Amino acid sequence: MALFGKKQQSAEISLKDIQLPEHVGIIMDGNGRWAKKRGLPRSAGHSAGAKTFRKIARYASNIGIKYLTVYAFSTENWKRPQGEVDALMRLFTDYMNESLRDFRDDSIKLRFIGDRSAFSPGMLKLMEENEEISRDREGMVLNLAMNYGGRAELITAMRSLAQDAADGKLRPEDIDEKVVSDRLYTSGEPDPDLIIRPSGENRTSNFLLWQSAYAEYVIMDVLWPDFKESDFDAALIEYAKRNRRFGGV
Ligand code: IPE
Ligand code: IPE
Ligand code: MG
């Protein structure tokens, strides 16, 4: 994974000249450091990050991205101080209420990926209502990864396959890549082509482990709350320059 700094941006290439990825993933990282730099509590960084999320989701949809998956809360993020976790849950709730209220004419299809069992009944209801209201929309699919972990997702898939095998509904030799993909939260969706990680960290942090087998990673120095539409463009342009071989020549 190469660090991709602003200096490498190519000013002369524009989006209309390049092939866009069908599916983009974003690890929305750096909220805490953004707040710390300003002497603010981490929760202020998360509020700022939530604004950036709204802006970039809308932008991605407008420029024609078909699938956007954003990592909002990992299975490991429960380790954080309770006050920070509570602040994040409030931000998720605000977003879900707002999207029900304000986005009735929107074209975005909202889906939640992750283990829902950890969320309050109120949040679960909001997730279901948001999915229901947007189910038949034709626009961009927006996967919001909440209490998502790639390993947990694979364990859930393995358990369901093992159960089917125990029930005599599945033979071990029937398990192939498609069978596994179909048991993941992203079932039916294409794998991510591009994964953007702002904040400069060079790791997956348990994001889309199976699905990212051949994703192009673009690591950027900007902190998520500072992430602009132009940073998204720069990542798309960097992606378009990559030579994807998928193991071939
Ligand atoms: C990402 O920002 C938001 C979540 C993980 C929920 P961080 O809170 O991880 O910000 P840093 O990495 O501490 O700067
Ligand atoms: C990954 O960021 C999770 C999200 C952005 C939701 P983290 O901040 O939790 O990852 P680490 O701890 O730096 O690997
Ligand atoms: Mg972080």
Side-chain angles (χ1 to χ4, degrees):
M1 293 178 204
L3 188 76
F4 176 67
K6 284 205 163 192
K7 286 187 288 301
Q8 287 161 268
Q9 277 181 38
S10 169
E12 60 281 5
I13 303 175
S14 92
L15 288 191
K16 61 180 180 347
D17 303 323
I18 62 164
Q19 168 119 35
L20 292 178
E22 189 179 14
H23 185 170
V24 179
I26 305 180
I27 301 173
M28 303 190 291
D29 198 17
N31 296 349
R33 278 163 281 173
W34 182 92
K36 192 168 182 213
K37 263 175 48 182
R38 286 162 180 76
L40 296 169
R42 291 178 61 86
S43 58
H46 295 313
S47 300
K51 286 201 185 105
T52 302
F53 154 68
R54 286 167 171 80
K55 176 180 77 184
I56 297 298
R58 174 121 348 267
Y59 181 66
S61 160
N62 287 343
I63 63 173
I65 300 297
K66 299 277 183 284
Y67 296 85
L68 180 70
T69 300
V70 293
Y71 203 8
F73 194 87
S74 75
T75 44
E76 289 72 47
N77 287 148
W78 299 105
K79 292 180 196 153
R80 296 185 178 205
Q82 193 58 44
E84 180 171 348
V85 170
D86 291 345
L88 283 161
M89 295 303 142
R90 274 195 298 277
L91 287 168
F92 298 147
T93 305
D94 288 349
Y95 175 72
M96 291 190 288
N97 273 316
E98 180 191 308
S99 60
L100 279 181
R101 204 174 51 232
D102 300 341
F103 300 157
R104 289 192 178 266
D105 302 326
D106 208 354
S107 69
I108 294 177
K109 233 175 143 99
L110 194 54
R111 292 182 183 156
F112 296 92
I113 64 169
D115 174 8
R116 299 182 188 210
S117 65
F119 295 115
S120 68
M123 283 182 73
L124 280 177
K125 187 160 175 283
L126 281 171
M127 288 176 176
E128 282 159 17
E129 283 175 355
N130 266 289
E131 286 181 332
E132 187 54 41
I133 200 176
S134 65
R135 195 178 305 281
D136 298 324
R137 290 180 186 163
E138 308 272 309
M140 184 182 80
V141 171
L142 174 58
N143 293 318
L144 208 45
M146 282 166 47
N147 195 25
Y148 175 87
R151 287 185 169 187
E153 178 180 44
L154 285 167
I155 289 169
T156 304
M158 287 177 206
R159 284 187 181 155
S160 100
L161 293 171
Q163 188 61 57
D164 280 2
D167 294 345
K169 291 192 276 188
L170 183 76
R171 293 172 305 169
E173 60 271 28
D174 293 334
I175 300 176
D176 59 14
E177 292 194 6
K178 177 157 188 337
V179 168
V180 174
S181 293
D182 285 347
R183 303 275 169 141
L184 303 180
Y185 297 122
T186 50
S187 168
E189 300 182 6
D191 285 339
D193 303 291
L194 163 66
I195 295 181
I196 303 169
R197 184 156 192 169
S199 94
E201 304 292 5
N202 282 264
R203 52 179 173 264
T204 69
S205 300
N206 208 5
F207 185 50
L208 301 178
L209 294 184
W210 171 277
Q211 299 91 330
S212 67
Y214 274 100
E216 294 295 329
Y217 257 87
V218 173
I219 312 288
M220 303 179 83
D221 261 340
V222 56
L223 300 172
W224 177 247
D226 290 328
F227 196 92
K228 306 264 178 316
E229 290 93 335
S230 57
D231 294 307
F232 195 71
D233 289 354
L236 297 173
I237 290 166
E238 167 64 15
Y239 164 81
K241 290 185 200 156
R242 302 274 177 92
N243 180 9
R244 302 182 79 192
R245 286 186 292 275
F246 300 95
V249 285

